Amino acid sequence: MTRALVTGVGMTPFGKHPAESVEDLGAAAVSEALEDAGLAPSDIGAVVSSNVLGGGAVGQRVLERVGLLGLPVVNVENACASGSTAVHLARGMIEAGQHRTVLVLGAERMTGMFQGGITLDRTDRPTRIGLTIPAVYALWAQAYTQRHGMPAELLANISVKNRAYGVNNPLAMFRAPVTAEEVLASKPVADPLTLLQSCANSDGAAALVLTSEAHDNGRRRPVRILGTGLSSGRPIDRATDLARLEVSRASAETAYRSAGVTPRDLDLAEIHDAFTIGEVLATEALGIAEEGRALLDDLIPINASGGLLSKGHPVGATGVAQIVELTRQLRGEAGDRQVEGARTAIAHTVGGGVGTLEAIASGTVIIG
C-alpha cells in the first residue's frame, strides 16, 4: 500500500485577526505549505477544505486567491473534528490512487461571531432549554471526578501544563504561563470549570500538502500518515457513561488498527483540550493513560504546542494545525518546544453541538 506523506505544512498565528478574512488567512497558510513542499499550485491534484462557520464554498474562495482553480474540491464540516476529517479523506484519496498530491486546508474566522461561547443552533430539546458546550464538559468533569474520587482542582494542572508549553509557541494566542491558583481563581464558567480551563475562540488557518509515497521528491525526511480513524457519537441515554469518551475511543481504535501501532509506540500527542477535562478523557480514550490515571501518571508529552488552551480554537483549522505541529516535531523543526527523539505521534479532535448525542464526531490521525 502506498502511504500518504506530509511534504508541506503552513500555518498562520492563531488569535484575533479582525482585519483579515477567512480567505486571507487560508491563502497565507496554503502559500506557506506549497513553498514548504517545493511545489507550485499546478502540482496539486485535489483539495479537501475544512471550515465550520464561514458559509458555503470556503475552499473555492480561498483557492481563488492562490490560483488553484478547476480542481476537485471537497468542503468538509464536521464540527470541531472537521480538520481531522479532512486529513482522513485526503489520506484515502492518495492511498486509493486517485491523486498523487492533495492539499488539505483548514481555515476559520470567529472574531465578532459570538459573544462568549459558541452558540448552538440545533433544535434538540436540551439545547433549546439552555444546554451549552461548557455545560456538557462540566457534566463530564463532574462524572469523572466523582467516579475516580479525586478533587476537581487537579484539572487545573492541565491548564498549567499547556500554558507552559504555549510560552514556546510563537503561533499561539496566549504565551504567558499560569499557576494553579490563577486557574482556580479565574471566572467560573460551568462548575467545576473556570475561564482558564476553557479555550478561546480564535481566527487562523493551517494547511498540509500530502503526497503519494511513490512520488515523493525526497526533499526532507518523510513523515508518513500511518493511520486515521473517524467516528460519530451515539445518542445519550441512561446507559451513557459520561466519565468515558466512547466516540474518541472508537476513532482511536480504528486509527491504531490501520497504522499497525499501539499507544505504547507513541512519543507525543496533540489532544483536543477545548476544556481541561476534554484532554483528560481523550488521553484515556486513546489508551495513553489507564482509566482514572490521566491526572496522576507521568505520560508522554501532550500538547507541546500549548494545545487549544494556549493556541485558541479556530474550529475548522484546529485538526489540520495539530498535524502541522506534529510534522514539525517529527522533522526536528519545533524550536524551543522540540520533543527530542520523537518518531511517532497522534492527533485527536472531538466535536460537540447536539445535546442528545455524545458528540458529533471524533477524528484521530497517527503519523510517523
Side-chain angles (χ1 to χ4, degrees), residues 25-279:
L25 296 165
V30 168
S31 297
E32 183 182 357
L34 289 171
E35 181 178 1
D36 186 49
L39 298 179
S42 59
D43 295 316
I44 301 299
V47 180
V48 185
S49 172
S50 164
N51 176 270
V52 178
L53 302 164
V58 167
Q60 286 87 338
R61 284 153 44 196
V62 170
L63 297 175
E64 189 274 335
R65 296 287 188 93
V66 295
L68 269 168
L69 302 174
L71 297 178
V73 178
V74 178
N75 287 291
V76 173
E77 187 278 302
N78 220 4
C80 303
S82 296
S84 300
T85 303
V87 175
H88 174 76
L89 293 175
R91 170 214 173 202
M93 289 179 176
I94 288 178
E95 291 189 356
Q98 294 175 331
H99 300 283
R100 294 181 178 182
T101 305
V102 178
L103 175 72
V104 180
L105 163 68
E108 202 76 69
R109 185 179 183 277
M110 302 179 74
T111 293
M113 297 192 69
F114 302 102
Q115 299 299 317
I118 296 175
T119 302
L120 301 178
D121 59 356
R122 312 303 185 200
T123 58
D124 57 302
R125 184 173 179 273
T127 297
R128 294 203 307 271
I129 64 175
L131 184 67
T132 65
I133 285 192
V136 171
Y137 278 88
L139 289 172
W140 291 353
Q142 291 175 9
Y144 183 89
T145 55
Q146 291 172 11
R147 163 80 55 80
H148 298 293
M150 63 181 64
E153 287 77 12
L154 279 179
L155 291 171
N157 293 334
I158 300 292
S159 290
V160 174
K161 170 182 69 72
N162 291 357
R163 289 290 289 268
Y165 277 135
V167 169
N168 293 319
N169 187 352
L171 301 180
M173 185 176 184
F174 302 110
R175 300 191 61 199
V178 295
T179 65
E181 291 74 21
E182 290 171 328
V183 173
L184 294 172
S186 62
K187 182 179 178 180
V189 173
D191 186 44
L193 303 174
T194 64
L195 185 64
L196 289 179
Q197 295 185 63
S198 315
C199 73
N201 297 335
S202 65
D203 311 325
L208 310 168
V209 175
L210 304 188
T211 304
S212 167
E213 192 172 30
H215 299 92
D216 178 35
N217 61 15
R219 292 181 74 234
R220 283 192 175 89
R221 183 179 68 175
V223 174
R224 296 175 175 85
I225 297 184
L226 302 178
T228 60
L230 183 65
S231 62
S232 58
R234 298 179 181 275
I236 292 175
D237 57 27
R238 292 185 179 183
T240 301
D241 188 346
L242 296 179
R244 302 174 88 238
L245 200 54
E246 294 295 345
V247 63
S248 294
R249 193 177 302 274
S251 72
E253 288 174 352
T254 301
Y256 287 130
R257 187 164 56 250
S258 64
V261 302
T262 73
R264 293 186 296 276
D265 297 311
L266 301 175
D267 299 307
L268 74 161
E270 286 288 309
I271 289 179
H272 191 95
D273 60 325
F275 298 84
T276 50
I277 186 61
E279 178 176 317

